[in-house]
Amino acid sequence: MRAGHRPDQRGPGRHGGWAGEPARPGEPRLDAAIDAALLLAALAAHADDRVDLLAVDTLVRANVSSSIRRSQLHRLTQALAGLTPALVETDFGRIVAEVLRVARKRSLVVLFTTLDAGALGEGLLPVLPQLVSRHTVLVAAVHDPSLEALAARRGGPADLHTAAAAERTLAELHRVRAALTRYNVQVVDAPVETFAGAVADRYLALKAAGRL
């Protein structure tokens, strides 16, 4: 398994994942991504799968190789603990280049990120064909359940304006998911409370189906 984090999030046979955002108090999406990446790494290690991790925004911020198997979970935890979020656009071209350089065999690549239409549409989708041609890709994002509640609000003009904005955001999320699915990308979009478990369940389902 390969895991990588994007330190820029606003608010891991051989398997691969690019994990997306380190944990910090007050950053629930980062907390959730860290928890999911470490759970995923533990499951993969138990199955004797190899786990690599990259943390990338515009530069490679952390790199944990599976070439050293001893104390790997400890090294992963230490690497993730040293990351901090930054408001920069992720260089998905760099991420894909690093994955293709490191992962010579077919792997599960897990990208922990947000389902942001602009960032993914302009950054990930143009380089995604290179990645899916050689690896199984899973995009994992923390879903904000308040969007559905906001979209359902009715009342005065302020409520209607808020509802319209939430509906536009939900529509963008659906378009991004549809675009990723067209590339045969697996997508996990789950609230923070169930996020780590949902990512782990998808990994286990892919293994059980013989797709890894």
Side-chain angles (χ1 to χ4, degrees):
M1 160 157 286
R2 304 191 173 272
H5 281 249
R6 285 180 44 209
D8 68 318
Q9 184 168 1
R10 303 168 177 85
R14 173 178 282 244
H15 300 284
W18 303 109
E21 288 78 22
R24 288 292 180 273
E27 294 285 350
R29 286 187 295 183
L30 305 190
D31 293 341
I34 276 265
D35 289 345
L38 292 176
L39 175 59
L40 205 52
L43 289 172
H46 183 72
D48 202 30
D49 291 331
R50 297 180 61 175
V51 180
D52 293 340
L53 179 139
L54 285 176
V56 180
D57 47 29
T58 56
L59 300 172
V60 176
R61 304 295 181 179
N63 185 348
V64 179
S65 172
S66 59
S67 61
I68 303 174
R69 305 291 289 273
R70 190 177 64 176
S71 304
Q72 189 177 33
L73 283 177
H74 175 72
R75 292 187 298 114
L76 289 171
T77 302
Q78 291 296 105
L80 293 174
L83 299 177
T84 56
L87 289 175
V88 297
E89 291 297 330
T90 297
D91 186 347
F92 282 104
R94 179 180 290 271
I95 291 176
V96 171
E98 289 293 329
V99 175
L100 297 179
R101 180 182 65 82
V102 173
R104 300 297 184 181
K105 296 181 180 180
R106 189 166 187 85
S107 303
L108 170 64
V109 177
V110 183
L111 289 162
F112 289 93
T113 184
T114 58
L115 295 179
D116 179 86
L120 296 187
E122 298 174 9
L124 178 60
L125 292 183
V127 296
L128 193 56
Q130 303 172 52
L131 196 57
V132 298
S133 68
R134 289 178 50 183
H135 301 292
T136 300
V137 179
L138 167 61
V139 170
V142 175
H143 183 74
D144 182 0
S146 68
L147 286 172
E148 282 81 4
L150 291 173
R153 289 178 66 173
R154 296 294 182 267
D159 285 338
L160 293 176
H161 178 77
T162 299
E167 288 173 352
R168 286 194 297 271
T169 299
L170 288 170
E172 288 182 356
L173 289 175
H174 294 153
R175 284 195 294 270
V176 170
R177 290 189 59 144
L180 293 171
T181 301
R182 285 195 292 272
Y183 285 99
N184 294 318
V185 172
Q186 299 284 315
V187 179
V188 170
D189 181 22
V192 64
E193 296 82 5
T194 60
F195 183 67
V199 174
D201 287 346
R202 187 65 60 91
Y203 160 70
L204 293 173
L206 289 168
K207 280 191 71 71
R211 297 185 57 185
L212 302 181

